[in-house]
Amino acid sequence: MEVKYYFSRLPKTLQHLFSCSCHRLGCLSSSIYCRMACWFRVLLCRVNSFQVELVYFVSVSFLGFGFLKALKPKTYPSFKPRDLDFFFTSVSATTVSSMSTVEMEVFSNSQLIVLTVLMFIGGEVFTSMAGLFLSRFRAKMLPNVEEKVASVLSSRSSSTNNDIELGEVSVTVTARGTNKSVSANPESENMSFPCRKNMWSSDVRDPNLVYNSKKLLSYVVLGYLMVVQTAGTALVYVYMAVVSSARDVLRNKNLNLLTFSAFTTVSTFVNCGFIPTNENMMVFSKNSGLLLILIPQALVGNTLFPPCLRVFTWLVGKLAVKSPKSRYYVDFLLENTKEIGYLHLFPSRQSWFLVETMVGLVVIQWAMLVVMEWSSAAFGGLNSYQKIIGGIFQSVNSRHSGETIMDISVISPAILVLFVVTIAYGNVGFTAGYSCKRRLNPDGYCEDKWYGFAGRWSDDGKIILILVMIFGRLKKFNMNGGKAWRNLS
């Protein structure tokens, strides 16, 4: 009887145990989720932009190194770069430093794609856009913290600003000089604004204005990035496919047309300076059409990014015919750049000054380069038109991406000094390659290489350069007396 009774109670006992186990597992998972959420909130409170970008570039560099190491190079099995050289190349691409210790034609098509991705996600436009999305995420996760930060920033600003609030609030005011009520909520389709200054004053404007404007700006930057990169890749692809002399270069070097187009466009836009050929752009020095395609890419991804972003934002506002809300935010973005706090969104006057300065410096460099090198070996084999376009390309790249159509070693010392002055604050990776003829004590064991002088450095020297590239990529945090560096500890 006891055995029979025991077996009769067994299903209920198992059901009870199962229910208790499920309940405990549910409580445990909820507890873990709450603890992780709390930990994540604390982490968001404690980290700053400098720490985020430092971890980002180091992590992406190691990830890129893993992919480069796993994929076989074009020269395998006769030659495979060492792990340190793979890591050096990954860091150089991620930080868009354009320093190389391996010839570019060593890398296979798959490895070139990896380098393209590293340059794309390491470029300033992409990382600044990611910063905008991260700030929005922080605002959602930590609304109180964001309000306090906004309050502090507003108190320091010369203009009258409003604290950022994330709740939806409808504000109704009376227009100056009229008895008509005006809604400050941009969601309304029938908005009637008195004037810009009154509309954006602290007692009239939408409390969500700054947050929503940054939200729109993040998508504007994303659209700008995709439009420019897609258009550039398409133009390079069409040119290389149509012009036989350029197409033959890729065929002789066994380079994929689409990979070359995307790689070159991304590298030029982010101002990295890597080209899939060993000779960089020297092998395309007579292809003036290709140079004319790449010149704007080198500018709109660097010095002219702020003015171009302003124009692109203005166009978005003009195209948003059916969205008064978007036009409202665009107007605020263009006229309140200081309050937005995005590093690359300049006021109108500063944008014009930047364009004028850039044009002036490029014209001066181009004039000196053409006058002093017109008949030299640097322009050897080029006709007059090719020299003019090549001179513009070289002048633009001496301040930006570092791509070159000429042998830097044969340029006159005066022009080299000019290049040194113009690239003093940039990340230009000009190199003359490694030539055995330039050694003070030549020997029979030397071999000419197309990579930079860093390729002959010792392992310790390469490690130092890796650190320099990473922290050099974070040079924008030197602003305000290097406050971000002091806050690192």
Side-chain angles (χ1 to χ4, degrees):
M1 294 293 294
E2 293 181 357
V3 174
K4 185 176 181 181
Y5 177 77
Y6 173 79
F7 280 105
S8 65
R9 297 284 300 175
L10 183 60
K12 294 183 179 180
T13 304
L14 293 176
Q15 183 179 4
H16 178 71
L17 290 174
F18 181 76
S19 300
C20 293
S21 300
C22 291
H23 179 70
R24 289 181 179 181
L25 287 175
C27 293
L28 179 61
S29 61
S30 299
S31 176
I32 293 175
Y33 174 80
C34 292
R35 288 179 179 273
M36 291 183 64
C38 292
W39 177 83
F40 189 65
R41 286 174 178 268
V42 171
L43 182 64
L44 284 178
C45 289
R46 292 182 177 274
V47 298
N48 55 33
S49 299
F50 174 81
Q51 294 168 330
V52 171
E53 290 202 20
L54 177 61
V55 173
Y56 174 79
F57 286 118
V58 173
S59 301
V60 172
S61 297
F62 275 104
L63 184 63
F65 160 71
F67 280 106
L68 291 177
K69 179 178 172 59
L71 298 171
K72 294 181 180 180
K74 187 187 301 184
T75 55
Y76 184 84
S78 60
F79 172 74
K80 182 178 181 180
R82 298 186 306 149
D83 289 351
L84 181 59
D85 291 324
F86 273 138
F87 184 63
F88 188 99
T89 304
S90 177
V91 172
S92 183
T94 304
T95 60
V96 294
S97 302
S98 68
M99 299 185 69
S100 61
T101 59
V102 179
E103 292 179 328
M104 294 304 298
E105 293 180 23
V106 168
F107 298 109
S108 63
N109 186 69
S110 300
Q111 290 175 322
L112 290 178
I113 294 176
V114 172
L115 292 177
T116 303
V117 174
L118 292 178
M119 291 186 293
F120 182 83
I121 65 178
E124 178 61 26
V125 177
F126 181 89
T127 55
S128 65
M129 177 196 68
L132 286 172
F133 281 101
L134 179 62
S135 65
R136 286 177 47 208
F137 180 74
R138 287 175 59 118
K140 289 183 178 180
M141 294 292 294
L142 305 169
N144 295 330
V145 173
E146 293 296 323
E147 290 174 9
K148 293 179 180 179
V149 172
S151 177
V152 172
L153 294 177
S154 299
S155 64
R156 294 182 179 181
S157 176
S158 57
S159 60
T160 304
N161 298 330
N162 206 30
D163 290 350
I164 302 175
E165 298 180 10
L166 298 182
E168 292 186 0
V169 180
S170 178
V171 181
T172 303
V173 299
T174 301
R176 181 178 299 177
T178 67
N179 294 322
K180 184 177 181 181
S181 295
V182 179
S183 174
N185 184 3
E187 301 286 347
S188 175
E189 293 295 331
N190 299 316
M191 291 186 299
S192 177
F193 301 119
C195 66
R196 293 184 186 276
K197 285 188 177 180
N198 291 338
M199 180 174 63
W200 290 325
S201 63
S202 59
D203 58 342
V204 176
R205 73 183 189 187
D206 175 22
N208 296 325
L209 183 56
V210 175
Y211 174 81
N212 289 331
S213 298
K214 286 185 176 181
K215 179 180 179 180
L216 176 63
L217 180 61
S218 62
Y219 289 111
V220 170
V221 177
L222 175 61
Y224 175 88
L225 179 63
M226 299 310 298
V227 168
V228 175
Q229 295 283 269
T230 303
T233 301
L235 289 173
V236 173
Y237 183 91
V238 171
Y239 180 90
M240 301 299 292
V242 172
V243 180
S244 59
S245 60
R247 187 174 62 251
D248 290 341
V249 173
L250 300 188
R251 184 182 296 110
N252 295 333
K253 293 180 177 293
N254 194 24
L255 293 172
N256 181 273
L257 176 57
L258 181 58
T259 301
F260 175 87
S261 303
F263 186 102
T264 303
T265 301
V266 171
S267 178
T268 306
F269 178 83
V270 302
N271 286 194
C272 182
F274 278 157
I275 299 294
T277 62
N278 288 342
E279 305 90 347
N280 203 272
M281 290 298 295
M282 285 187 283
V283 70
F284 300 109
S285 59
K286 296 183 179 181
N287 298 108
S288 300
L290 179 60
L291 303 184
L292 289 174
I293 293 173
L294 296 180
I295 287 173
Q297 287 285 331
L299 294 173
V300 299
N302 194 306
T303 301
L304 291 188
F305 173 51
C308 290
L309 177 61
R310 187 174 181 85
V311 172
F312 193 81
T313 305
W314 176 81
L315 287 175
V316 170
K318 290 298 181 182
L319 295 175
V321 179
K322 298 182 179 180
S323 178
K325 175 181 65 174
S326 297
R327 295 201 306 270
Y328 177 70
Y329 294 146
V330 166
D331 289 340
F332 182 79
L333 285 171
L334 296 179
E335 300 193 20
N336 298 270
T337 56
K338 178 182 288 188
E339 188 171 355
I340 292 299
Y342 183 58
L343 183 64
H344 303 291
L345 186 61
F346 286 10
S348 178
R349 174 177 292 185
Q350 281 81 350
S351 297
W352 280 109
F353 286 163
L354 186 61
V355 173
E356 294 168 359
T357 302
M358 184 279 300
V359 172
L361 289 175
V362 170
V363 169
I364 292 174
Q365 291 180 85
W366 173 79
M368 294 185 64
L369 178 63
V370 170
V371 169
M372 300 189 68
E373 304 293 337
W374 186 267
S375 301
S376 70
F379 283 126
L382 304 181
N383 58 37
S384 298
Y385 174 73
Q386 293 168 346
K387 290 180 180 179
I388 292 174
I389 301 301
I392 297 175
F393 181 85
Q394 195 70 26
S395 299
V396 168
N397 279 273
S398 68
R399 300 193 64 248
H400 302 286
S401 64
E403 296 167 6
T404 179
I405 63 161
M406 57 182 63
D407 187 353
I408 303 297
S409 64
V410 301
I411 295 179
S412 63
I415 298 299
L416 288 178
V417 171
L418 178 64
F419 284 170
V420 170
V421 172
T422 56
I423 68 177
Y425 300 100
N427 58 335
V428 178
F430 275 153
T431 178
Y434 189 89
S435 176
C436 299
K437 297 179 181 178
R438 301 189 185 103
R439 297 187 63 176
L440 298 178
N441 299 312
D443 56 50
Y445 301 99
C446 182
E447 182 180 0
D448 291 338
K449 292 292 182 181
W450 282 104
Y451 52 64
F453 184 63
R456 295 290 185 174
W457 283 35
S458 64
D459 290 350
D460 293 339
K462 291 178 181 178
I463 293 175
I464 293 175
L465 287 179
I466 289 174
L467 296 176
V468 170
M469 287 189 289
I470 292 176
F471 287 102
R473 181 63 179 82
L474 303 172
K475 58 182 178 292
K476 66 181 179 182
F477 293 103
N478 288 328
M479 298 178 180
N480 300 322
K483 183 178 179 180
W485 293 84
R486 296 197 300 269
N487 291 340
L488 182 61
S489 58

